[in-house]
Amino acid sequence: MRDNDIRILTDDEGAPLGTIDVAEIDRRATLLAYRLATCSNDHDQVDDALAAELGQVGSEMFGFVAASALRMVVTSVLDPVLEVTDRLTEAGYLRADLRAGLADAYDNATATIGGDHIA
């Protein structure tokens, strides 16, 4: 651990609340992201992986790990998959445009369950 891996959390007034180890969050998030991706077809395994992580890091750190893992799943797993499906769609091997389908699903979700539509 390096000193610059530790961050101090503060409240709105700047009073210290605690510390977090950014390197440990990144390490755990990487492992969680790829674990979730590998078990994505088994919802029980997804739940088990999340519960195990929560049990290991506790509720205070879990939010940081989960948010970082979510970002990693999107950028390091989903985006490369969509790049492949984009090429397959353009070449005529895949009929469905998955990226457009995701955009439609997002529009439908905001229309049916509400919330702000994030551009």
Side-chain angles (χ1 to χ4, degrees):
M1 175 176 66
R2 299 182 320 253
D3 287 341
N4 60 352
D5 290 336
I6 303 296
R7 299 291 188 269
I8 297 173
L9 300 177
T10 61
D11 65 14
D12 292 339
E13 306 300 318
L17 296 172
T19 61
I20 58 171
D21 183 341
V22 175
E24 180 66 5
I25 290 170
D26 288 345
R27 184 186 77 76
R28 296 197 74 93
T30 299
L31 296 173
L32 180 59
Y34 287 112
R35 178 68 189 123
L36 292 172
T38 61
C39 65
S40 64
N41 62 333
D42 185 328
H43 296 179
D44 289 337
Q45 285 187 22
V46 169
D47 291 344
D48 291 346
L50 292 169
E53 187 65 24
L54 175 60
Q56 289 183 4
V57 302
S59 60
E60 290 182 11
M61 188 171 161
F62 182 74
F64 295 108
V65 173
S68 184
L70 175 60
R71 184 181 193 290
M72 189 167 296
V73 166
V74 170
T75 60
S76 298
V77 177
L78 182 59
D79 189 50
V81 168
L82 289 175
E83 287 178 14
V84 170
T85 63
D86 288 346
R87 289 191 203 112
L88 291 172
T89 301
E90 290 168 5
Y93 294 108
L94 187 63
R95 290 185 187 149
D97 180 346
L98 296 183
R99 211 175 283 271
L102 288 170
D104 289 344
Y106 177 61
D107 289 342
N108 183 53
T110 59
T112 58
I113 62 176
D116 296 330
H117 197 283
I118 303 167

